[in-house]
Amino acid sequence: MASHTINGLSVKPILGDFGAEVSGVDWTQVPLPEDLIRTLIRIQDKYAVLIFRDTGLDNERHVAFSAQLGRLEVNPAWGGSERVGTPYLFDVSNIESDGSLVKKDTRRWHHALGNALWHTDSSFNQHRSKYSLLLAHAVPGTGQGNTEFADTRRAWKDIPAVEKPKLRGLVVEHELWHSRKLASPEEYEELTSEERNVKPPSYHRLVQQGSSGHETFFLAAHAKALFDDDGKRLADSQKMVWDLIAHCTQTKYTFTAEWISAGTLMWWDNRQSMHRASPYTEKMGARDLRRSTVIDDGPFAFGMPPKNCKSSN
């Protein structure tokens, strides 16, 4: 698909109608004019992942722009707001509060390993997120710390028609600690009391309607169990989950986005995509990324009531 212009913005598609680099926004204007916000949301609805280069954004304008898109999620205890200085930004970096790099085999290092699994942000919250906006303040170098994205809309479209009715009826139990245990089973064999109490599971339909109007998978490595309409847990839940993730993350549905320089902003719709980060390495330089998260305000925002689903604990 060729580059094109929408209301003065240049749009360069990446993988058909999934992902696009957008230029022409004057980020010094933040908060942006409402007509420009409407245009950006229109582009976002179509492409699900937008990339902006050389934005020059700082924390204040990053948060201000994000707040124009909806109510912001407040940073939880593990999100690192102490270093970045605001509760509205998650510290998605390999940098400690004293400026040193995160050391291998610390709790934070192991927690970050979960980010290298395919996921959607905050699917483990009963009130799920809509958008994530991740801004680079420092990048570690070419080929390090990239982010991959998967198109869950097209992946759903390509599912055989005979399989779709069953999948539409399934509810997914999402739990943060499930993905952390998958990524680092020994470290997360036992949870701290704070971890155990802070994040109960959430329940969301596996198949939903995205903002583009098309059906899409809502899936993540946080997916711990699948339930049918009667609330019965499927015995082969994990196999089904990872078979579906494998389907959604085939090469034809994915692309890799490079954090070329500070100022790069990636804005994705968690309801229409999955993503994963490159894992930390001991040779990686400073990777200072900060993420704002916009809470979903759509009809599926609060997921499913868990009353009919027996937790898989």
Side-chain angles (χ1 to χ4, degrees), residues 166-198:
K166 177 183 177 181
L167 294 174
R168 287 189 182 103
L170 297 182
V171 173
V172 185
E173 178 187 22
H174 294 260
E175 186 189 63
L176 171 63
W177 308 118
H178 175 69
S179 61
R180 268 46 197 171
K181 289 177 183 178
L182 288 176
S184 188
E186 292 184 6
E187 181 71 17
Y188 282 96
E189 183 178 2
E190 293 292 335
L191 300 180
T192 67
S193 57
E194 181 183 12
E195 289 168 342
R196 190 176 294 108
N197 296 326
V198 76

Side-chain angles (χ1 to χ4, degrees), residues 9-289:
L9 300 180
S10 176
V11 180
K12 182 181 179 182
I14 297 172
L15 188 66
D17 61 358
F18 182 57
E21 290 210 21
V22 179
S23 58
V25 176
D26 181 359
W27 294 103
T28 65
Q29 293 186 69
V30 174
L32 299 177
E34 285 303 314
D35 60 339
L36 179 54
I37 292 292
R38 287 192 292 271
T39 296
L40 288 170
I41 291 175
R42 177 179 153 202
I43 298 170
Q44 168 59 242
D45 286 347
K46 179 174 182 178
Y47 291 101
V49 180
L50 303 183
I51 301 174
F52 307 87
R53 305 291 185 185
D54 302 317
T55 64
L57 288 171
D58 56 14
N59 281 355
E60 183 178 3
R61 283 180 292 135
H62 179 184
V63 171
F65 168 58
S66 304
Q68 291 188 273
L69 305 174
R71 186 161 65 91
L72 300 186
E73 188 174 323
V74 175
N75 202 335
W78 62 82
S81 59
E82 178 183 349
R83 188 184 76 85
V84 301
T86 168
Y88 296 112
L89 291 178
F90 292 69
D91 186 2
V92 192
S93 76
N94 63 347
I95 304 171
E96 298 284 14
S97 57
D98 63 1
S100 64
L101 297 187
V102 174
K103 292 180 175 59
K104 189 175 182 180
D105 290 333
T106 60
R107 195 71 161 180
R108 183 173 174 183
W109 177 287
H110 284 276
H111 189 279
L113 294 179
N115 295 331
L117 301 176
W118 287 104
H119 65 285
T120 55
D121 291 330
S122 300
S123 70
F124 46 77
N125 290 336
Q126 194 62 48
H127 189 179
R128 69 179 186 178
S129 68
K130 175 167 58 174
Y131 301 137
S132 292
L133 297 99
L134 189 59
L135 177 67
H137 287 247
V139 297
T142 303
Q144 298 187 65
N146 295 335
T147 301
E148 295 177 83
F149 294 95
D151 186 353
T152 54
R153 304 167 303 178
R154 187 179 162 204
W156 165 258
K157 184 178 179 181
D158 291 348
I159 289 287
V162 69
E163 297 179 19
K164 289 184 175 180
K166 177 183 177 181
L167 294 174
R168 287 189 182 103
L170 297 182
V171 173
V172 185
E173 178 187 22
H174 294 260
E175 186 189 63
L176 171 63
W177 308 118
H178 175 69
S179 61
R180 268 46 197 171
K181 289 177 183 178
L182 288 176
S184 188
E186 292 184 6
E187 181 71 17
Y188 282 96
E189 183 178 2
E190 293 292 335
L191 300 180
T192 67
S193 57
E194 181 183 12
E195 289 168 342
R196 190 176 294 108
N197 296 326
V198 76
K199 276 297 170 193
S202 66
Y203 299 86
H204 297 277
R205 285 283 184 190
L206 171 64
V207 181
Q208 304 192 7
Q209 186 179 69
S211 57
S212 63
H214 297 94
E215 282 185 302
T216 179
F217 283 112
F218 187 63
L219 192 59
H222 311 308
K224 186 176 181 181
L226 296 172
F227 297 85
D228 63 20
D229 273 336
D230 295 325
K232 181 181 178 182
R233 182 187 181 189
L234 304 189
D236 56 351
S237 282
Q238 277 298 290
K239 182 180 186 305
M240 285 188 66
V241 164
W242 286 100
D243 284 349
L244 288 171
I245 289 177
H247 168 72
C248 292
T249 57
Q250 296 176 75
T251 302
K252 61 184 176 181
Y253 304 136
T254 64
F255 70 87
T256 299
E258 184 178 356
W259 296 92
I260 294 175
S261 62
T264 295
L265 174 69
M266 298 189 189
W267 166 18
W268 61 87
D269 188 335
N270 287 294
R271 305 164 301 176
Q272 305 197 95
S273 65
M274 285 192 294
H275 64 282
R276 66 177 178 181
S278 298
Y280 289 170
T281 69
E282 292 182 277
K283 296 181 179 180
M284 181 183 287
R287 180 182 189 265
D288 189 350
L289 302 183

